[in-house]
Amino acid sequence: MNNKILIVEDELLIALDMQGTLEKLGFEVIIDVTSVEQAILYIEEHQPMLVLIDINLNKNKDGTHLGQYLLQKDTMPYIYITSYADKSTLDQVNATRPNGYIVKPFKDDDLKATVSVVLNNYYHKKIDALRNNENENDPVPLRIRKVVDYINNHLDKKIEIHELATLTEWKMDHFIRLFSKYLKTTPYQYILSRKINKAKSLLEDTVVPINEIVFELGFESNSNFYQAFKKITNDTPENYRRKQQLKSTN
């Protein structure tokens, strides 16, 4: 999955603090964009998975101008960051319908929780939109839905991209292009993210040995699983399980 998060914040210390927090979760965080104009250029070229926007940018245009642009674009979620929570600010913010809102100062856990909830809700909103589209004259959402359901029902298997393309009756490059268009991630990255999410649940909620989790999720080897888990979570399976166990005992 595209794991880029764009932070549009002109206070460097705040941006660096957020960058450090989110990078620990495995995201690639960009903080050198400090104006609405720069942000739009970056978004058009790189299509980040999430945008965090400071409302007061001390520029010609404040953060809500970027929010209005993202509202019209409707291709990624965005969260406002501000020191203000008065009615006037909230009215201004609500007019652009953000996916989230964080008031400064905030704790690292608040940032982590907000980002996690926003990304999860946005992803499921996209999936629900596909599932609710029953227009037989529009085969793209129906075929993509079929592929998504197949992946989620076969996480214990090694899933080949050509198998998924066959399900849609499209050529490989056409399938990858349309899948990426609708889900904002490649088929391979989607499969990997779903498998790692399942692995995280097993590590949190069970005592199943890690080598059995590797087998259960259809990874070719322990090293492949460890590499994928580290890439997405920025942690090892052992450390992740240990941290979750400590949380549950506190």
Side-chain angles (χ1 to χ4, degrees), residues 35-57:
S35 72
V36 172
E37 292 81 3
Q38 289 176 337
I40 290 174
L41 289 174
Y42 181 89
I43 289 166
E44 289 295 332
E45 181 175 355
H46 299 283
Q47 296 295 309
M49 69 185 306
L50 174 67
V51 184
L52 298 173
I53 310 168
D54 179 26
I55 293 179
N56 300 299
L57 290 173

Side-chain angles (χ1 to χ4, degrees), residues 17-214:
D17 185 54
M18 289 192 292
Q19 182 184 43
T21 298
L22 295 174
E23 283 183 342
K24 291 177 183 177
L25 298 179
F27 296 110
E28 179 182 349
V29 184
I30 294 85
I31 64 169
D32 58 351
V33 174
T34 59
S35 72
V36 172
E37 292 81 3
Q38 289 176 337
I40 290 174
L41 289 174
Y42 181 89
I43 289 166
E44 289 295 332
E45 181 175 355
H46 299 283
Q47 296 295 309
M49 69 185 306
L50 174 67
V51 184
L52 298 173
I53 310 168
D54 179 26
I55 293 179
N56 300 299
L57 290 173
N58 297 321
K59 305 286 183 180
N60 294 330
K61 295 181 179 179
D62 65 27
T64 59
H65 287 85
L66 181 56
Q68 187 62 44
Y69 160 80
L70 290 170
L71 174 63
Q72 295 173 354
K73 188 176 178 66
D74 192 28
T75 57
M76 66 196 67
Y78 49 101
I79 299 170
Y80 283 125
I81 308 162
T82 182
S83 301
Y84 304 97
D86 57 278
K87 184 178 184 302
S88 175
T89 301
L90 289 175
D91 287 344
Q92 188 180 13
V93 163
N94 288 335
T96 63
R97 291 187 282 173
N99 301 89
Y101 187 92
I102 306 176
V103 178
K104 303 175 187 175
F106 49 83
K107 298 179 180 178
D108 287 353
D109 285 345
D110 295 332
L111 177 62
K112 292 177 184 177
T114 301
V115 167
S116 176
V117 168
V118 165
L119 288 175
N120 183 69
N121 288 347
Y122 186 80
Y123 161 76
H124 282 98
K125 177 183 175 182
K126 289 294 184 184
I127 296 299
D128 289 343
L130 296 181
R131 287 176 173 165
N132 291 333
N133 190 336
E134 296 299 334
N135 182 359
E136 294 295 337
N137 295 320
D138 184 7
V140 175
L142 295 176
R143 297 190 199 189
I144 296 298
R145 182 187 68 182
K146 184 178 180 180
V147 168
V148 168
D149 288 342
Y150 179 89
I151 292 171
N152 289 324
N153 289 328
H154 294 82
L155 293 178
D156 59 331
K157 308 293 184 183
K158 180 182 178 182
I159 303 172
E160 300 286 356
I161 305 303
H162 68 81
E163 297 175 19
L164 305 180
T166 300
L167 288 175
T168 64
E169 300 179 347
W170 291 325
K171 292 183 178 179
M172 178 80 77
D173 58 345
H174 186 64
F175 161 66
I176 293 173
R177 183 168 62 254
L178 288 180
F179 187 100
S180 301
K181 173 184 175 181
Y182 277 85
L183 294 187
K184 308 305 176 187
T185 185
T186 66
Y188 172 77
Q189 291 168 328
Y190 178 81
I191 293 167
L192 198 61
S193 68
R194 299 306 294 164
K195 284 178 178 281
I196 296 303
N197 281 343
K198 180 68 178 294
K200 288 167 65 177
S201 296
L202 291 171
L203 290 168
E204 292 174 19
D205 303 328
T206 75
V207 293
V208 175
I210 292 174
N211 64 322
E212 291 186 20
I213 293 176
V214 173

